[in-house]
Structure formats: C-alpha cells, structure tokens
Amino acid sequence: MPASDGSHFVHEGILRRQSVRESAARTYARALPIVPVRARGLTIEGADGRRYLDCLSGAGTLVLGHNHPVVREAIRRVLDSGAPLQALDLATPVKDAFVTELFRTLPPGLADRARVRFCGPADTDAVEAAFHLVRSATGRDGMLAFTGAQKGTTTGVFEAPGDAVESRIAYLPYPQDYRCPFGVGGARGAELAARWTESVLDGPKSGPPLPAGMILEPVQSEGGVVPAPDEWMLRMRQITAARSVPLIADEVRTGVGRTGAFWAVDHSGITPDVMILSNAIGGSLPLAALVYRDDLDAGEPGTSADTFPGNQLAMAAGTATLSYVRENGLAERAGTLGSRMLGQLRQLAGEFPIVGDVRGRGLMVGIELVEAEGDFEAARAVAGARAGTSAEAGTWAGTRVGLGGSDDRGVDALSGAGAGAGAGAGAGAGRGGEWARSIGFGRADAAVGGPAGGPHPAAPGLAAAVQRECLRRGLIVELAGRHANVVRLLPPLTITDEQAAAVLDRLADAVEAVARNHARGEQAHPQHPEHPEHPRHPQTFRPGDRAERAG
C-alpha cells in the first residue's frame, strides 16, 4: 500500500515530471518505475519507502554493489586532496595507481607487453577506439563481428576513418545451444560456427584483403546471456592468429570477476590482442579504456580527440574496485555462487513450461521465457526458415559480399544441408551438402545440445511480465536477448548467500505467478493498473513480506 507519510505522492510526482520532461527514448525508467533515493550493497530504497534487491547493478557496473565503503573512501581521498578531477591524458598519481593495478590483473601474455589507451567514458567510445586502432595497425578496413553482439550499433563505429572507402562489417554465427543457428547445438554446433568463420576468411573468391580485426564477447550479455564455449574461443584465437587478424575481446560486461574469472577470456586461457574495458573498471563511475598488444600501437600524437579520458574520480574508484575484487577472491566466489544459483534456477525449467532455458556464467545469469502452448510444429518451421536456413544463411552469405567477395562452399553447405527446413533453402545440395554432412550438419544421429525438437518460440511478453512480477516482490531484474525474452540477473559480486536465496525466492515466485496467469490466458497490458506504463502501477511489495528478510 502507498506510504501514509506522503512519500508516495513525492514518488509519483517525480515519475510524472520525468515522463513529460525526458526523452521517450528512455528504457530502464519505463520498465522500472522507481525513484531511488538511497542505496547500499544489493539494496535500493525508493522515494516511496519501498526496498528492492537490485540485480541490475547499474547494468553491471556495480560489481561491489552500491556505495561500497572502499569506493566511497577512494573518491573522498581524491576530493579532499585538491587533485584535478579532469586531467585529459596527462600523467597523474591517480592514473598511475590505476594502470598499475589494472596491469596486475591482465591475462598472461598481455600484461608484459600491454599498452593502455583511455578514451571517452562510454563503452561505445572504446569500441570505436578499438576499431580505429586495428585499422591503423593493419592498414585494412573490414571488421568481423557476431550475430547477437551488443556493440556496433553506433554509426561512428562502422564509418570508415577519414576519406577511406565505405567501411564494411561481416556478421558471423555465434555458437549457442538453445537457439543454435544450425539447429544442432552443443560441441557440434560450435564446430560448425568455427568452420563457417574459416570459410569466410579463406574463401577462394575473397576479393579484398583480410579484415582489420575480429570483435567478440566471451559471454553475449545483451544477446541473451549466451556464454561462448571455451573450445570455440580457442578456435577463434587460432583462426585469427594464423591469419594475422587482431582479436578484440569485448569485456565491457564480463570483466572484473563477473563470470567467475577476473576477465572472461581467462576461462579459455586465450590472450586477445585487444581488450575493451568499461563499466565495472570505473568502480560505478564513467570510465573506458583499451588494453592492447604493444606492436599494435600505431597511434600518433593528436590522433585522439577525446575530451574526457582523465576522469580522476573514476580512476580512484576503479583502483579500489579492482584491488578489492583481486585481494578478496570475489571472482572465484562469483563462479561458485553463480554455479549454485544456475543449478537451482534450472529446476524452474522442469517445473514451468514457459522457462525454455537457463544459462550463464558466474554471476551473469539468463532465464529465457518461451511460449509453452500452440502449434510448435508450425512455429519451428517458421523459426527454422528464419534462423537456421534461408534468412540467416542469406545474411551469412552476405558476409562475403560485405567483405567484398563470396564463399560458395559455405553458402552451398548451409543451403544444401538445410533443404526442406524452410523456404529458399533447397538449393546447393551438391558439394555444399557433402561438406555439411562431413561435419555432421543435418545428421539424424548428431549430438543436439538444444531442446528435443528445437526451441519453443520466444515470449517477450512473458519476460516482461516476469520483470513486473519481480518488481512487485522487491526484485529488480533486466531484460535482454535478441527477442527481449531473457530475464537477466547481474547481482554485485558482494551478494551474500542469504541475499542470493532471497533473489531466487522472489524470482521463482514471479515465474510461478506468470506461468499461472499464462495458463489461465491472462495477460497484463498498458491499460491494466499492474502494467508499469500505467500511472497507478501499485508495486504492491510491502516490507514484512517473506522475501524482505534479505533487504
């Protein structure tokens, strides 16, 4: 119920003013109509007096949670010292301490010959800087990326530098089990994805030179919390190294212990040529940087026009965060606790048909919501035609065009192997089909990593409903995935066992409520008072509820 001291009206007034003053482009505020006024650790208190467990953590930036004492003290020391708060790219004691601590954590093979470049404070600034770096170092232009990737949505990232010709990017299939682009999943699906990458790079009609670089996420976060298999990561490192294509690891969401290792590339033991760092490295404040192999350092004075590479408060907070995670073994704890949480959450898939898949790595967890009823045979035929054969095969066939060439072997393989699975996929049953069969694509006895019979259709409406039900119970979660149907958990690494139990309790309650309503054919909509876009959304979670114990 609304608080009796008037805080409810303060809360509603702030939300109402936001809705008329701010851009319609806002995202988090639409799904999470709360007004945070105090926060510590995992807990947020809203202007209406309600308390929430925050598993969004500032989009993963708060690896130590809100207002951690070591972060507050680090910021306070800089403020009290009278040091400059913005130092451009000048050397400062604060920056020197940050770089020293950062280099202590880098993967073996990179730390000894690393260079660091600070850029604008956003992760997209770092992506653009990484692309500029490898283009300058190689003299090449095209880039390789993967379907479902978070980065690359800004125009500047893919514009050619200077007066060069139009820049092009090729998208490659990213391996996953539940929605494997080849309909296979598991190790075999990852092998198909790796061989497709090789076919793109080595096609006999490749035309222009090799691309300037390849960018990949060790765990696709916005793509739906999809961890890359370690074996596939090793193959990408081998494939790029053999062809002198710099490998860029995007560690914006996965870095600083999130996945159970300090950097997600540590799981596979690879050493990338470039690492993109942001989010958690600033200890909750804006900071972004590149770390890269020294022989790529082709920059000249004046090539960086960034105005804010020297945020001293962020560097101080970042130093405190990096050292605290390293000294207290928080990455290892994230791996242990995350595995336990994943194991418990996977029970939901057995209990509720609307849960299609539970996956993740460390304290980066995703629950995919799917339609549990309907004509799945028809849905699978549509999904197969769209994702497994004609459309995505056409997209990946276009990667050769995107790099200025073509690869008949890869195109024929997908076309031939997928014949009969969807419209437009029946051509190429000759040598392409033979190539596909040689690596197991389409075999009846192939090891299938995904669900029997294929995945169910994505259900973004159900995921949004779970997010709303979580909020009613005092739990803040985020949505992700290519279809916005994955509920994502990014709790701070400082979460306690008791708090983790409360998170799972509230989430299970929310899934059960949505499953029950879905079975009855009920669906919340914007005109319903329980929809977050409705001005009288009640958020009926009350202190004293059984899940309040960990608040």
Side-chain angles (χ1 to χ4, degrees):
M1 297 296 291
S4 58
D5 60 359
S7 60
H8 174 74
F9 297 103
V10 173
H11 162 90
E12 291 291 339
I14 292 173
L15 288 180
R16 191 173 298 109
R17 287 190 291 276
Q18 181 190 40
S19 68
V20 298
R21 292 172 174 175
E22 294 189 25
S23 166
R26 65 190 188 280
T27 55
Y28 297 111
R30 289 181 175 275
L32 303 169
I34 62 176
V35 182
V37 293
R38 278 174 293 276
R40 186 177 181 86
L42 183 70
T43 305
I44 285 179
E45 183 177 335
D48 55 0
R50 296 189 176 100
R51 299 175 73 192
Y52 303 86
L53 300 183
D54 180 15
C55 282
L56 172 56
S57 298
T61 61
L62 303 169
V63 293
L64 300 185
H66 294 276
N67 288 314
H68 194 281
V70 302
V71 173
R72 289 164 57 93
E73 178 58 29
I75 293 173
R76 188 178 292 112
R77 280 198 302 269
V78 174
L79 290 173
D80 292 345
S81 73
L85 301 184
Q86 216 297 57
L88 298 174
D89 63 355
L90 300 177
T92 69
V94 173
K95 179 195 284 188
D96 184 65
F98 175 82
V99 174
T100 299
E101 180 60 38
L102 175 63
F103 276 35
R104 284 195 184 107
T105 71
L106 293 178
L110 182 58
D112 293 341
R113 53 178 306 187
R115 293 289 185 270
V116 61
R117 173 186 167 184
F118 295 94
C119 49
D123 52 0
T124 51
D125 296 323
V127 173
E128 187 163 359
F131 283 20
H132 183 273
L133 174 76
V134 297
R135 284 169 173 157
S136 297
T138 64
R140 303 191 292 259
D141 187 41
M143 296 295 300
L144 296 177
F146 292 89
T147 54
Q150 175 186 2
K151 300 302 184 293
T153 57
T154 56
T155 302
V157 168
F158 296 124
E159 286 180 346
D163 58 357
V165 296
E166 181 185 1
S167 178
R168 296 183 176 91
I169 185 160
Y171 286 96
L172 302 167
Y174 190 87
Q176 56 176 306
D177 285 345
Y178 190 70
R179 296 192 185 277
C180 175
F182 303 104
V184 177
R188 193 179 298 278
E191 174 65 12
L192 281 163
R195 293 204 181 192
W196 181 264
T197 300
E198 288 182 305
S199 76
V200 168
L201 288 167
D202 297 339
K205 301 178 182 178
S206 56
L210 289 170
M214 171 191 287
I215 182 172
L216 60 78
E217 294 172 90
V219 180
Q220 283 197 344
S221 182
E222 295 298 329
V225 191
V226 183
D230 291 339
E231 296 78 8
W232 179 82
M233 291 285 291
L234 285 166
R235 286 289 303 279
M236 294 303 102
R237 175 67 285 186
Q238 293 164 358
I239 289 169
T240 53
R243 295 158 180 81
S244 298
V245 175
L247 179 63
I248 305 169
D250 178 354
E251 291 267 9
V252 168
R253 289 290 178 94
T254 54
V256 194
R258 168 65 59 190
T259 66
F262 208 98
W263 306 106
V265 293
D266 293 339
H267 291 291
S268 59
I270 71 167
T271 301
D273 302 301
V274 184
M275 290 174 60
I276 299 175
L277 312 179
S278 185
N279 285 18
I281 67 165
S284 76
L285 299 180
L287 188 65
L290 301 182
V291 176
Y292 54 92
R293 213 178 61 240
D294 55 4
D295 61 335
L296 295 175
D297 198 11
E300 298 178 358
T303 56
S304 173
D306 296 318
T307 305
F308 293 102
N311 186 335
Q312 299 295 282
L313 291 182
M315 290 180 183
T319 303
T321 298
L322 293 170
S323 61
Y324 191 89
V325 172
R326 178 178 58 83
E327 293 169 1
N328 290 275
L330 293 191
E332 293 79 4
R333 171 168 166 73
T336 301
L337 180 57
S339 294
R340 189 161 69 241
M341 292 177 71
L342 277 170
Q344 296 179 43
L345 286 171
R346 284 181 177 130
Q347 297 177 14
L348 295 177
E351 297 176 19
F352 305 109
I354 65 170
V355 177
D357 191 33
V358 176
R359 55 183 178 261
R361 196 155 206 176
L363 290 176
M364 193 174 193
V365 178
I367 302 96
E368 179 161 354
L369 278 298
V370 298
E371 293 292 346
E373 299 174 351
D375 185 358
F376 291 130
E377 292 303 322
R380 278 198 298 270
V382 173
R386 182 180 64 246
T389 53
S390 60
E392 286 207 23
T395 300
W396 299 329
T399 63
R400 296 310 304 145
V401 177
L403 288 176
S406 64
D407 188 336
D408 296 334
R409 181 182 64 169
V411 175
D412 288 349
L414 276 188
S415 305
R431 61 192 179 96
E434 294 175 3
W435 177 79
R437 285 191 296 275
S438 71
I439 54 177
F441 186 89
R443 283 174 48 186
D445 60 344
V448 177
H456 291 171
L462 294 180
V466 170
Q467 184 185 42
R468 292 193 296 270
E469 291 294 335
C470 283
L471 193 65
R472 288 166 58 89
R473 290 158 174 78
L475 176 62
I476 298 173
V477 297
E478 188 179 9
L479 300 185
R482 305 181 195 188
H483 307 285
N485 69 314
V486 177
V487 175
R488 178 170 55 183
L489 301 180
L490 296 170
L493 309 191
T494 53
I495 185 174
T496 66
D497 289 348
E498 185 182 22
Q499 289 173 331
V503 167
L504 297 179
D505 193 24
R506 299 181 192 197
L507 179 58
D509 264 4
V511 172
E512 181 179 3
V514 172
R516 183 173 57 248
N517 293 341
H518 184 60
R520 292 200 298 255
E522 298 177 6
Q523 184 178 2
H525 50 81
Q527 289 71 42
H528 193 285
E530 292 187 359
H531 193 280
E533 287 293 292
H534 193 282
R536 293 193 303 278
H537 175 56
Q539 299 179 35
T540 54
F541 171 74
R542 297 181 296 276
D545 285 358
R546 65 186 179 90
E548 170 68 8
R549 65 179 185 271

